Amino acid sequence: MPITAALIGGGASLLGGLFGGRSARRAAQTQADAQREAARLAAEEARFRPVGVTTRFGSSTFTTDPVTGRVTGAGYTLSPEMKAMQDRFLGLAGQGLTQAEGAQAQFAPLQGAAQGLFGLGQQYLAQSPQEAAQQYMSKQQELLAPSRERQYGALQNQLFQTGRGGLSVGATGARPSGAAGLGASNPESEAYYNALAQQDAQLAANAMQAGQQQVAFGAGLFGTGGNLLTQSYGGQAAALAPYQAYLSGATGLENLGQQPFEMGAALGGRNANPQGAQALFQGGMGSAQTMFGANAYNPFATALIGASQNPALMRGVRNAFSPSYNYGAFGGGSGTFGEGEY
């Protein structure tokens, strides 16, 4: 198969593209390596770098990985004096907690008394004020009945002694309203029954007041019982106060021991330089981008591709490989182009 200019040109273009592709790949790899290095330097500049701090109350420590440099551990330690005080506080806190645990049994009598008052209050409130008044009236009349009977007997005896036992005066007819009039009686009996009526009227007034007082008293029993329960629960809550005070003292010392840790972490944050890291990263990325064009350039590949695209050069190559080409023409001899002349 005869070699033609098209084959030679195509081969040169292909070879130039191959060389150019290799150069571009190496340039891309170089750029990627430069970008990774820029990112690494930026991350290193912005990395959190804590500092161990020691104060009167304690000290802080930070451990880092020897390979990556990352923080792998952090802690703090109380000073011996603070640790001894904290142990004493915790010992007292244990005693306070034991005391609080026994508070429920100590205040149990208050709860029992409150339940008793609740039951008694329910008994008093089981009756309405009217029912309580009626009960009061009945009891008072029962108490007065013996003395009244004795007084009535003495009155009858007095009337009999004076011979006026059957005397009755003062009767009246029916009232205009239709109500019955006054019955006939002697003056002593009338005075006696009037006294009883006045006494009963006073008892009725007292009975209504007694009924209201009974309801109020029953409600007061509930209020007193509620106060006793409140005191019981409040006492149990107050029993926790010593434990909470001792525990607060222990945690306060712990906070003092944490100060070196917080200070070291704060210094680590200050040591980090995000602005500088950003500047390093942007500079490295820009430098890698700038060098990409120079690293990707391959003069040999460019020459091959340019030669394959040169019409004059390709025409000469075609004539050089033509069978009718007179090679002596280049040596001063004579010759002519054949039918394949371009």
Side-chain angles (χ1 to χ4, degrees), residues 315 318-325 336-342:
R315 184 170 57 249
R318 176 183 177 185
N319 292 334
F321 285 92
S322 176
S324 60
Y325 181 72
T336 59
F337 290 103
E339 295 180 356
E341 181 180 355
Y342 184 76

Side-chain angles (χ1 to χ4, degrees), residues 286-305:
S287 175
Q289 185 64 31
T290 301
M291 292 301 297
F292 177 78
N295 293 332
Y297 177 69
N298 189 326
F300 184 62
T302 302
L304 285 175
I305 295 174

